[in-house]
Every structure is written in structure tokens, then in C-alpha cells.
Amino acid sequence: MISPPLSPLSQPGSWAAADVDKRCLWHPFTQMRAWCAPGHDPLVLVRGKGVWLWDDRDRPYIDANSSIWTNIHGHNHPVINEAIRRQLGEVAHVSFLGFTHPTAIQLAEKLVGLWPQGTLTRVFYTDDGSTAMECALKMAWQYWRLRGDDKRTRFAAFDLAYHGDTCGTSSLGGIPAFHERFGPLHFPVSRFRTVDEIEALPRSEAECFAAVAIEPLIQGAAGMRLWPSGSLKRLRAWCDRNGVLLITDEVMTGFGRTGTMFASLHEDVVPDIVALAKGLTGGYLPLAATLAREEIFEAFLGEYADLKTFFYGHSYCANALGCAAALANIGLFESEKTLESLPAKVELLQRLLGALAENHPHVGGVRQLGLIGAIDVVRRRGETQVAMEPYPWQEAIGARVCVAARRHGLLTRPIGDTIVLMPPLVVDAAELYQCTAAISQAISDVCGTVA
Ligand SMILES: *Cc1c(COP(=O)(O)O)cnc(C)c1O
């Protein structure tokens, strides 16, 4: 009897899957010539558990950037798995345009409850970080039009900001390599380097802003750049003085990543609008939420014919599977006491990063906020920032270090020559040791052990 040939994709360890990938796919933020080159063996990941991922040759790796900053409680978590399965047994998705469903309702109440009472009271569901921010921008814009204010037509954003890749959100973006080329498609944005610069604006200029957007406490895509302490609080005060809406982009920082549920809470700041995405479903499914204050919501109320409606939405808004995953994700913060477990891990990470900065001749500096770590790889270190000698960016040292790290059982993605170490919050002490050891060895493999 002749049996049909197995699909190449069903043969673990075979490279046929990678061949099909090279023939049919186009990967995000990826130079596809190098990807498709004959010498490149794409890493095919097939399963996960906790902080670990396995490739199709059954080799384990620590997921040291939480699958692009999304995963919170680990992969393949029984509680989140079960929540999705239970929802799947009911219904996977129904339209949220003119209908509602219990999982989305429960989740909204939970999300509102994560903020001080009576502050962020309304939840608008979107799909991902970009659409959560896009929604925030349009909300802010229409809010001022509905208020009859025709002056507030500008947005303020910061140098090196990253708020997503739609045309709207990349208008706010301040990373030249990602955003500059699309300049002619972008709406005009006033860009500032620091909160000081914003504070120095004359009142007449300040009152032209509809909103200012900021990644609170830490700019992720900028290379894990920390704001000077107190910056967010000062920006909040400036917004209050000038009637400008404060939009915080907690897409990366939300859900415990920085040690508190949200980064803004480090400075006791509540924004007028917040964007949540990546960690919302624990890194399981694309779902996002834009939360707004009641006063903003109320401006949109009127008769149908008033045309005050927020005409914005996506077909998968409030996807039921995503909402079920998100509810389980938030529930785990309580049942596993996730936030309570963090201080010890944060302190250990601080010691490990400190040792790396002290001892490795090619580590020029480290930064940390909560369980977000960043390691700058340099050709030669100096006593001062000026004396530091970086590698030419064309050498893609950061990328080479991350490829080398795979041999030491660790996966992450660099930002330039900065190595990101941002494991799921369930990471334990032994795994944190493994992370910094693997990164240290990978830097030595690529850069050598002497400067
Ligand atoms: C990742 C990210 C986004 C974009 O989110 P996507 O889900 O990738 O669209 C926006 N803002 C910040 C701060 C991010 O880190």
C-alpha cells in the first residue's frame, strides 16, 4: 500500500519547513535577503513551557525577551490555556459593533479596577499596540473638536519615541531608521527631547496641543532609555496647567513589567488616556485596550444626528478568545502573587547586570527598570560616556551577539548594540543567572574577552 507523503511541515527536525518559509514569507523588521540566503537556518520554534521555548530539533532556549515583550506568566500556562479552551467551547468571536458579550464586560471591569477609582473609567478595545495608540490619537483629536476647541490641533511626542507602525502612530515616532522615510505620509508632530523643553513653551504654544504621548518611565524601542526620575509627574503637571491631554503608552510597560502593574504608578500619575496591549493577554493573543477618563467619554455623547459618535473600530474588537486570555492573565496576578514575587527578582537582576557591567570588557553600560534589562555592547569602554568606543553600527554586533546567544540556550532581539533582557515575570533565580551567563558568553564569543 502506498501511503501519501508526509507534509514537510509535519516532520520535526526537517529543514523543509524553513525552505517553505523562505519561499512564501516576509518577516517583520527583517532584511529578507539575509533571511533567505542559503546559509541561513531560520530558527523554527515549535513549543513552549514557562520561560522556555523549544525548536524543531528539541533544543531548549530561555525566551529572554518574552516573545517580543508580550509574555508575562510563561508559555503554555495551564490557567490561560484552560480559559481560552472554555471560551472556545462557547464562541470564539462576535461583533462588538452593536453587540456585547460577557467576557469583554468582565474584562473591562477588571481593567478599570486596576486604576485608582474614578479615573480611567471607559475601555475601548482594539487589536494591538499600534491600534490602541491610533485609537488614543483619534479619541483625543475628536474630543477637542467636540468641545468646540479649534486651536488644539497638534500632538506632542518625544525624540526616539516608538508608538507603533500605522501611519498615525508612526507620525509620533522619533526613531529615524523606522520613521524618517515615511515622513511625507505623517501628520506634523512637535517633537521634544525632554520634559524641560516642553515646560519651556510659552502658554500660547502649549495651548495648541490636543495631547502629548509618552512611553512612561522608559522608552523601549529607543534602547530601553530611562526618563530622569520625576519626568512623568512633571509632564502630568504641565498637561494640567495647559489643558493638554496626557496619553501614556503602556504597551510595553504594562502588566508588571516594571515592577508595578503600570509604569505610571511609580510616579503616582494617572493619564487621561492609556494604551494597553502586549502583556494584556499574557502574550497569548492580539488584543488591546485604550482606557479613557469619563470626561472624555462624555464629550462623545449626543443624539445620533449630532454625529458625535466615535466612528472608529476594528472587526476583531473585543475578540472573545483574547478577552478570556486577558481575564486569566489578570487573575494570575492575584492567584500567583506575581507582583509580590518581583522585588526579589528585580534585585537579583540588578546584581547580575551590575556584575556584567563591572567585569565584562565589552559591556559599556547596563540599564534596568523592574524586570526590563538592557546591556550595551561596546568595542572599548571608557570611564565616561564620551570615552566609550562603540562598534560601527554596520557591523550589527548586537544582532551577532543574539545569534551567538542561541548556542548558549537564550533567545532575544537586540536594539542596535543593546541586548534586551526582559524575561517573562515567572522567571526564577536560576533562570536569571542562566540569562546573564548566556549573554556574557555570547558577547565574549563575538567580541572576545579582552578590550
Ligand atoms: C510594541 C509597542 C507598540 C506597538 O505595539 P504593536 O502591538 O507591535 O502594534 C507601541 N508602543 C510601544 C511602547 C511598544 O513597545
Side-chain angles (χ1 to χ4, degrees):
M1 204 179 87
I2 301 165
S3 55
L6 276 175
S7 154
L9 291 170
S10 66
Q11 297 171 12
S14 113
W15 291 104
D19 291 341
V20 179
D21 180 298
K22 288 183 181 183
R23 195 149 34 79
C24 301
L25 281 163
W26 190 342
H27 287 263
F29 284 91
T30 301
Q31 175 42 256
M32 291 303 290
R33 175 182 283 175
W35 178 274
C36 296
H40 175 235
D41 279 340
L43 187 62
V44 183
L45 297 170
V46 295
R47 64 194 168 85
K49 185 78 194 162
V51 302
W52 295 91
L53 291 169
W54 281 265
D55 69 11
D56 59 352
R57 293 171 174 183
D58 219 28
R59 290 175 297 203
Y61 305 90
I62 293 184
D63 183 3
N65 78 340
S66 296
S67 290
I68 204 72
W69 318 350
T70 61
N71 195 284
I72 301 287
H73 302 290
H75 295 279
N76 213 342
H77 195 293
V79 172
I80 303 180
N81 290 6
E82 180 51 31
I84 294 172
R85 257 189 235 110
R86 215 180 315 120
Q87 182 64 51
L88 198 52
E90 303 290 333
V91 66
H93 180 69
V94 293
S95 169
F96 217 56
L97 284 67
F99 305 108
T100 192
H101 67 84
T103 322
I105 297 169
Q106 277 179 54
L107 176 60
E109 192 178 30
K110 279 271 181 212
L111 289 173
V112 165
L114 295 177
W115 295 88
Q117 195 171 3
T119 56
L120 295 166
T121 50
R122 293 284 167 176
V123 176
F124 194 104
Y125 288 115
T126 48
D127 301 341
D128 49 45
S130 302
T131 52
M133 280 301 291
E134 189 83 21
C135 175
L137 293 179
K138 287 198 165 181
M139 235 179 222
W141 177 271
Q142 186 170 338
Y143 169 74
W144 288 114
R145 304 296 80 78
L146 293 173
R147 290 272 310 255
D149 186 318
D150 294 328
K151 272 204 335 251
R152 296 188 183 272
T153 56
R154 295 188 70 83
F155 287 95
F158 291 96
D159 272 4
L160 300 176
Y162 181 81
H163 297 291
D165 286 331
T166 58
C167 271
T169 57
S170 72
S171 300
L172 296 182
I175 299 179
F178 298 171
H179 302 126
E180 221 162 61
R181 189 188 314 268
F182 297 106
L185 300 181
H186 290 158
F187 58 73
V189 164
S190 301
R191 204 171 301 291
F192 300 92
R193 272 180 310 171
T194 59
V195 174
D196 293 26
E197 279 188 6
I198 286 201
E199 285 175 331
L201 286 175
R203 195 175 174 91
S204 58
E205 270 183 57
E207 286 177 346
C208 292
F209 289 108
V212 54
I214 187 169
E215 295 157 85
L217 275 88
I218 183 168
Q219 289 183 313
M224 303 304 158
R225 187 169 158 271
L226 295 160
W227 286 110
S229 166
S231 295
L232 186 66
K233 213 176 180 65
R234 283 170 44 212
L235 187 61
R236 173 75 271 182
W238 177 83
C239 285
D240 289 341
R241 284 199 302 279
N242 294 285
V244 178
L245 296 178
L246 176 63
I247 301 173
T248 54
D249 178 348
E250 294 248 16
V251 171
M252 176 187 79
T253 49
F255 300 97
R257 199 67 74 182
T258 69
T260 51
M261 198 51 142
F262 301 108
S264 326
L265 302 178
H266 284 284
E267 297 194 357
D268 288 322
V269 165
V270 179
D272 300 299
I273 301 177
V274 65
L276 305 175
K278 289 188 170 107
L280 172 60
T281 61
Y284 266 63
L285 287 162
L287 177 80
T290 305
L291 274 61
R293 287 186 187 263
E294 196 70 10
E295 184 199 335
I296 295 175
F297 170 78
E298 281 172 353
F300 289 71
L301 301 179
E303 297 307 317
Y304 174 70
D306 294 341
L307 288 178
K308 289 183 168 184
T309 307
F310 191 36
F311 289 112
Y312 182 96
H314 301 286
S315 37
Y316 280 102
C317 276
N319 175 259
L321 295 178
C323 289
L327 263 179
N329 173 49
I330 294 169
L332 283 172
F333 275 91
E334 293 158 26
S335 62
E336 295 192 347
K337 301 204 185 322
T338 305
L339 292 179
E340 293 84 335
S341 79
L342 291 182
K345 299 178 190 187
V346 170
E347 200 191 299
L348 174 58
L349 179 61
Q350 190 182 349
R351 273 197 285 128
L352 292 169
L353 289 175
L356 208 52
E358 197 158 310
N359 302 325
H360 203 295
H362 291 285
V363 171
V366 295
R367 288 176 297 290
Q368 183 193 4
L369 179 64
L371 273 189
I372 303 171
I375 298 147
D376 297 330
V377 181
V378 296
R379 192 197 294 274
R380 213 179 318 281
R381 1 193 249 181
E383 285 309 307
T384 64
Q385 197 66 37
V386 183
M388 202 79 74
E389 194 185 324
Y391 284 99
W393 67 268
Q394 295 88 340
E395 288 187 26
I397 288 291
R400 285 160 61 190
V401 167
C402 290
V403 170
R406 293 180 192 177
R407 289 196 295 274
H408 303 289
L410 180 134
L411 301 180
T412 188
R413 187 177 169 85
I415 300 168
D417 289 346
T418 298
I419 311 301
V420 175
L421 173 50
M422 191 199 286
L425 307 188
V426 286
V427 70
D428 67 23
E431 290 160 345
L432 275 175
Y433 275 104
Q434 267 175 282
C435 284
T436 46
I439 290 173
S440 176
Q441 284 165 356
I443 296 172
S444 300
D445 291 352
V446 174
C447 308
T449 51
V450 290

